[in-house]
Amino acid sequence: MSEDKQTGWRGPEHLANRNGRPLGTKNKTTVAIREAYQNLVELNLENMSLWIGQVAAENPEKAMDLMIKLSEYVIPKLARTEVTGKDGDDLFKDMRFEFGPSITERIEDIEIDE
């Protein structure tokens, strides 16, 4: 075995991967850990429901917090995005919403009717 001065490779030359791991290939250790964690969760689904129920009996807020934290592993979080116009201009600067008469106008109408 000879040591490659550039990469520190100490194995046989015919086993050296000069291009590195191909894009998209997952790290074997990471895959194994995720599979082990997934199995642990799947085998304890009933227990998890029981445990959250026990927490909820004493502290519903804490149980809800646990549910939210667990949901992050199932439901992806949405990224926040900012919508802007050309050169960062506010797209909604000229937008107006009209929902009907104002409260003041409605009160005046009621007083007039009486």
Side-chain angles (χ1 to χ4, degrees), residues 46-70:
E46 289 181 29
N47 291 335
M48 290 170 69
S49 295
L50 177 68
W51 297 330
I52 289 175
Q54 290 172 344
V55 171
E58 292 183 29
N59 188 342
E61 183 180 353
K62 186 174 182 180
M64 185 55 120
D65 188 49
L66 288 170
M67 291 294 296
I68 290 169
K69 287 178 180 177
L70 288 171

Side-chain angles (χ1 to χ4, degrees), residues 66-79:
L66 288 170
M67 291 294 296
I68 290 169
K69 287 178 180 177
L70 288 171
S71 71
E72 292 178 12
Y73 293 96
V74 180
I75 303 168
K77 283 188 172 183
L78 298 176

Side-chain angles (χ1 to χ4, degrees), residues 23-53:
L23 287 176
T25 303
K26 300 196 183 217
N27 182 297
K28 292 177 187 176
T29 304
T30 303
V31 170
I33 290 171
R34 286 184 180 186
E35 287 176 2
Y37 185 74
Q38 183 175 354
N39 288 335
L40 177 67
V41 169
E42 287 174 0
L43 293 172
N44 282 290
L45 285 176
E46 289 181 29
N47 291 335
M48 290 170 69
S49 295
L50 177 68
W51 297 330
I52 289 175

Side-chain angles (χ1 to χ4, degrees), residues 87-107:
D87 299 325
D89 289 341
D90 183 2
L91 286 176
F92 306 107
K93 65 183 174 191
D94 296 324
M95 188 174 287
R96 303 277 186 264
F97 293 96
E98 293 186 24
F99 296 102
S102 69
I103 297 294
T104 307
E105 291 172 357
R106 293 179 69 191
I107 290 173

Side-chain angles (χ1 to χ4, degrees), residues 1-16:
M1 283 192 249
S2 65
E3 182 174 340
D4 185 325
K5 290 183 175 41
Q6 288 182 335
T7 63
W9 172 253
R10 296 181 183 181
E13 185 59 33
H14 70 281
L15 293 179

